[in-house]
Amino acid sequence: MAATIRFCLLVSLFASITLTTTVQAHVFDVTKYGGSPNSDITQAFLKAFADACASPIAAFVVIPDGTYQIGVVNVKGPCKAPVEIQLQGILKAPVNTPGDAWFTFGYIDHFSITGCGTFDGMGSAIYGKSKSKTVNIRFNYITNGKVEGITSKDSKQFHINVLGCKNLIFCKMTIIAPADSPNTDGIHIGRSSDIQVLDTKIATGDDCISIGDGLQHLTVERVTCGPGHGISVGSLGRYPNEAPVQGIWVRQCTFKGTDNGVRIKSWPDMEPCEVSDVHFDDITMDNVCNPIIIDQVYCPSNECKSKGPSKVTIRDVSFKNIKGTVRGDDAIMISCSPAHPCANLCMSNIDLTSPTGKAKATCLNVKPIITGTMNPAGC
């Protein structure tokens, strides 16, 4: 049934369509398919989405306010017209979620998720008790999409995994999990292009944003990170045939109490990869351990078979206008590969202080180009 839907969030329906106040669309409300609060709506959602995907005009899948249980969802396009999920309620995963993802959306052009609702992965029920590889939401090969306003809570592993996507925007989101929750990266992005993460708050037990191989053109702006492990390019160089990472811009971001700030990391003596055109600008650090770090001897839990130099090449990287406070004394730690020293690394207007007054900078296998303020000195 055709209907006129007014936006609850004054945003565009889809990333490539600008609308003002209304849009003509089909509406598929899960409550019309037998779904109701405090019950399992898996089948209601799947039926509503299937009908929306088959709609010849733009379609909304609506999940009203309320708390709902929902099992594993794996839906694929192509769809006949743009599809938007409007989530106002709270979705709760099974405590023991099977497989590697709770929700998977794949192969859809012009796809959006909006609203003020929550994906609750129920990871709090298993943290410290058992391990899980279940990601809250996987986006596979989505083009021209937007995810806005929603919350991802207590994922059992990564909150959001992005693979093979193009022109996908994440904005005004909240991503939360306890600081000690294992492997709960906020957003992991790989093998994708033209991705944006904007105006989002991320507090997790691992990287707020992690960047895998093959990512081309990522913009991260006005993101607040903490607790967590910072924003990381990598780790890279662990697996054969990793694709280059190029064109990363992280700007106007704030890190609060994180274990790392902005970071590039690669494994020693394993596989080749390339990282280039990576820029961190206008960053505020608040009580951050290792605010600026390039680690080409990354080897967690002593998993490396060899301690030889990393085969990953890093070039055209800049750290500019970075200020704030350090937890500990290591403000800048640049450890590049002796086999492939970092090339064209620029540092400008760095001002990082520690409570001890002994903040330090260490640079190995690199000759950075330094302009403006450089505090601490040492590189």
Side-chain angles (χ1 to χ4, degrees), residues 100-316:
D100 65 358
W102 178 26
F103 276 81
T104 302
F105 301 100
Y107 303 93
I108 308 171
D109 184 35
H110 291 105
F111 173 68
S112 298
I113 304 176
T114 66
C116 49
T118 298
F119 289 83
D120 185 349
M122 297 295 290
S124 58
I126 70 163
Y127 294 150
K129 300 176 183 178
S130 62
K131 295 182 179 180
S132 173
K133 295 184 178 180
T134 304
V135 174
N136 257 12
I137 312 172
R138 287 187 180 271
F139 295 96
N140 296 337
Y141 304 96
I142 300 296
T143 55
N144 305 311
K146 177 181 280 188
V147 182
E148 180 165 7
I150 64 167
T151 294
S152 177
K153 178 184 177 184
D154 291 348
S155 181
K156 296 181 178 73
Q157 210 214 37
F158 295 174
H159 284 262
I160 293 171
N161 191 87
V162 178
L163 175 67
C165 296
K166 185 174 182 179
N167 190 27
L168 178 59
I169 300 172
F170 298 92
C171 61
K172 299 179 182 177
M173 294 182 61
T174 301
I175 298 174
I176 52 174
D180 60 353
S181 57
N183 300 316
T184 51
D185 293 44
I187 304 176
H188 178 77
I189 312 166
R191 304 261 172 170
S192 299
S193 63
D194 301 310
I195 309 298
Q196 298 181 61
V197 183
L198 312 173
D199 302 299
T200 289
K201 296 180 180 180
I202 306 176
T204 71
D206 211 299
D207 293 332
C208 290
I209 299 172
S210 56
I211 297 164
D213 76 297
L215 180 56
Q216 307 283 318
H217 307 132
L218 167 69
T219 298
V220 178
E221 292 182 345
R222 298 178 300 279
V223 166
T224 299
C225 171
H229 295 181
I231 294 178
S232 297
V233 178
S235 59
L236 298 170
R238 187 179 186 183
Y239 301 106
N241 304 313
E242 290 183 348
V245 174
Q246 182 179 25
I248 311 298
W249 292 88
V250 179
R251 295 183 285 233
Q252 300 175 30
C253 294
T254 299
F255 296 76
K256 296 183 177 182
T258 52
D259 289 349
N260 300 286
V262 290
R263 176 168 61 158
I264 302 173
K265 54 183 176 176
S266 71
W267 290 74
D269 196 24
M270 294 186 75
E271 299 293 337
C273 189
E274 298 179 3
V275 179
S276 63
D277 194 20
V278 178
H279 307 282
F280 304 100
D281 189 7
D282 194 9
I283 306 295
T284 299
M285 304 289 182
D286 181 1
N287 191 35
V288 171
C289 187
N290 305 320
I292 298 174
I293 181 168
I294 295 179
D295 181 5
Q296 293 208 257
V297 290
Y298 179 74
C299 184
S301 304
N302 294 315
E303 297 178 31
C304 307
K305 296 180 180 179
S306 170
K307 299 295 184 179
S310 176
K311 298 177 182 178
V312 175
T313 60
I314 298 174
R315 60 180 174 84
D316 303 329

